[in-house]
Amino acid sequence: MRITVLGATGGTGRQLVEQALDAGHHVTAVVRDPARLRLRPGTDAARLDVLTADVMDPEAMTAAVAGRDAVVSALGAAPRTEASVCSDGARSAIAAMRTAGTRRLVVVTASGHVVDDGDGPFTRALVKPVLRRVLAGNFADFARTDRIVRDSGLDWTIMRPPRLTDGAPRPYRTATDRNVRGGFTLARADLARAVLAALAEPGSVRHTIGLGY
């Protein structure tokens, strides 16, 4: 596939770029500062294009998504901020994709801002109310992102991981249209693996995917 990755210099974004290249895909990494895209030694970058562009500018983004099979957004703001990086980036990418005629979109948000049937009583009563106070700005951004993506008319999938770590890959669980009960953490490497799996699975289109161990 020809995949465009937004947020390529972040922890999840780098994993996505590396794993997609390892799997034989052609990757366009959209970055603000190419020097920050430090890939794992030995990564075959022959199929990598690094594009310096402002992800918030739909016109600039059109060249990044035209002719691609899919766009993946791993954008996000630092914890405990009021920034709207995820939602603004999704809005820009969707506008560019409509212009370019690219339809497949996968966006990473989080499981924390949603309470659903996948959550156990402890999570509903204690964990998520605390998280919603501490991470109110981030969760509001993710909620806006979900609405924007759902209303896009594109072939979207929303990935909802729990707290991300830099741990080693291991078996993880997924759930369609609900959170994973007891899934409190996930390694960024496994999130990237799940994103690439969703891209290859037509059944994930227009669904949310909960994740966790």
Side-chain angles (χ1 to χ4, degrees):
M1 297 179 69
R2 296 178 62 85
I3 303 170
T4 294
V5 177
L6 313 182
T9 58
T12 300
R14 282 195 296 268
Q15 286 284 345
L16 278 165
V17 171
E18 291 172 352
Q19 292 188 33
L21 292 172
D22 288 345
H25 301 297
H26 187 288
V27 178
T28 299
V30 181
V31 301
R32 286 181 297 178
D33 180 5
R36 293 182 57 202
L37 186 61
R38 303 183 184 95
L39 301 182
R40 181 185 65 242
T43 301
D44 183 0
R47 295 179 309 281
L48 173 64
D49 293 328
V50 180
L51 178 64
T52 304
D54 180 1
V55 297
M56 304 304 172
D57 180 354
E59 188 172 340
M61 283 295 299
T62 301
V65 305
R68 276 40 171 209
D69 299 301
V71 176
V72 177
S73 175
L75 294 168
R80 305 187 186 186
T81 66
E82 298 295 328
S84 55
V85 173
C86 192
S87 55
D88 288 347
R91 188 180 289 108
S92 174
I94 289 165
M97 291 173 70
R98 286 171 174 161
T99 299
T102 303
R103 294 202 51 80
R104 189 69 172 103
L105 173 66
V106 177
V107 175
V108 176
T109 61
S111 64
H113 74 288
V114 175
V115 177
D116 61 27
D117 292 340
D119 294 312
F122 175 73
T123 300
R124 288 171 179 266
L126 182 62
V127 175
K128 291 204 170 174
V130 171
L131 288 176
R132 283 180 166 178
R133 288 196 297 271
V134 174
L135 300 172
N138 301 91
F139 283 1
D141 188 25
F142 291 143
R144 287 192 299 272
T145 303
D146 282 359
R147 291 193 296 270
I148 291 165
V149 172
R150 287 177 180 275
D151 292 341
S152 67
L154 300 176
D155 297 332
W156 56 266
T157 302
I158 297 171
M159 310 297 290
R160 287 180 175 162
R163 183 175 66 85
L164 295 173
T165 74
D166 291 320
R170 59 190 177 99
Y172 61 88
R173 294 178 291 151
T174 65
T176 301
D177 295 328
R178 62 183 176 85
N179 291 326
V180 170
R181 180 162 297 200
F184 297 118
T185 64
L186 186 75
R188 291 177 175 86
D190 285 327
L191 173 55
R193 191 153 56 106
V195 167
L196 293 175
L199 281 175
E201 176 49 64
S204 72
V205 172
R206 302 196 179 181
H207 289 286
T208 62
I209 307 295
L211 297 152
Y213 292 130

